[in-house]
């Protein structure tokens, strides 16, 4: 009798598991992005990365200047800046590659390529952050030309300005305008 009860319990558990699996909600369809919305999503992902790069470039310039005076001992500020580059690059890659949205057909491949370069940049930035000063001042970023060309293709596919800084400045300005409270017409 115990064996029959145990078998019934196991069969019952299996039926419940199958029923639960059959009742699971289907995966939601990706949000189709209009060209305008796609450009906004793209810039929201990449502009913070560009800002992080600007800060890292400043720290690298400081480090190189200090190296010319043989005073380049501390790489802490540069390492921190590169950590931010790595973090933001990873977040941007995830955002652009998200299956929650569907990019316009003409932008799908270029945006996917940018997501790949950002993922690679995240890995490289993490490694570079740990380099000693003497290696940093002479370091050349792997794939730098490809990154620029890929980003240019994505901007063109999304109808954005050729210049990344101009595109990000316009994106920031539109965000600031949207955040401003409306004036009371009284």
């Amino acid at each position: 009798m115990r064996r029959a009860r145990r078998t019934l319990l196991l069969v019952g558990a299996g039926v419940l598991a199958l029923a639960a699996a059959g009742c699971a909600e289907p995966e939601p369809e990706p949000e189709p992005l209009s060209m305008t919305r796609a450009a906004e999503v793209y810039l929201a992902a990449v502009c913070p990365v560009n800002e992080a790069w600007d800060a890292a470039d400043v720290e690298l310039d400081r480090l190189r200047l200090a190296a010319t005076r043989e005073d380049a001992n501390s790489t802490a500020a540069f390492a921190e800046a590169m950590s931010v580059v790595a973090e933001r690059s990873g977040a941007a890659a995830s955002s652009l590659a998200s299956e929650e949205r569907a990019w316009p057909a003409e932008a799908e491949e270029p945006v996917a390529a940018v997501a790949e370069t950002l993922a690679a940049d995240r890995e490289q930035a993490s490694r570079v952050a740990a380099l000693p000063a003497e290696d940093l001042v002479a370091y050349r970023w792997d794939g730098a030309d490809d990154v620029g060309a890929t980003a240019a293709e994505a901007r063109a596919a999304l109808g954005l300005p050729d210049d990344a800084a101009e595109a990000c400045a316009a994106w920031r300005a539109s965000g600031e305008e949207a955040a401003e409270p409306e004036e009371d017409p009284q």
Side-chain angles (χ1 to χ4, degrees):
M1 181 73 163
R2 283 187 180 176
R3 187 173 194 172
R5 184 182 288 165
R6 194 167 98 205
T7 302
L8 284 174
L9 288 174
L10 290 175
V11 169
V15 170
L16 285 175
L18 287 174
C23 294
E25 291 186 31
E27 292 289 322
E29 290 293 319
E31 171 195 1
L33 299 176
S34 67
M35 191 60 79
T36 300
R37 179 71 180 127
E40 291 170 357
V41 169
Y42 178 82
L43 293 173
V46 300
C47 291
V49 176
N50 292 351
E51 291 169 359
W53 270 112
D54 290 345
D57 286 343
V58 167
E59 292 304 326
L60 182 58
D61 288 344
R62 287 181 183 160
L63 192 61
R64 286 181 174 149
L65 183 60
T68 62
R69 294 180 293 186
E70 298 179 17
D71 188 27
N73 294 327
S74 177
T75 61
F78 177 76
E80 175 60 28
M82 287 308 291
S83 294
V84 173
V85 168
E87 178 185 312
R88 289 185 181 178
S89 293
S94 294
S95 175
L96 297 179
S98 173
E99 294 183 10
E100 294 177 2
R101 60 183 63 98
W103 295 91
E106 57 272 24
E108 190 172 350
E109 286 184 31
V111 170
V114 170
E116 288 177 21
T117 63
L118 287 164
D121 282 355
R122 184 187 67 76
E123 296 295 325
Q124 190 172 182
S126 294
R127 286 192 313 271
V128 170
L131 291 176
E134 59 272 5
D135 292 342
L136 285 173
V137 296
Y139 190 82
R140 297 289 176 242
W141 196 259
D142 293 336
D145 293 336
D146 293 337
V147 170
T150 302
E153 288 176 29
R155 284 191 308 276
L158 292 166
L160 294 169
D162 291 339
D163 184 271
E166 180 183 333
C168 286
W171 171 74
R172 274 191 298 285
S174 70
E176 290 169 2
E177 288 173 12
E180 290 179 5
E182 292 184 29
E183 290 185 27
D184 193 3
Q186 295 178 2

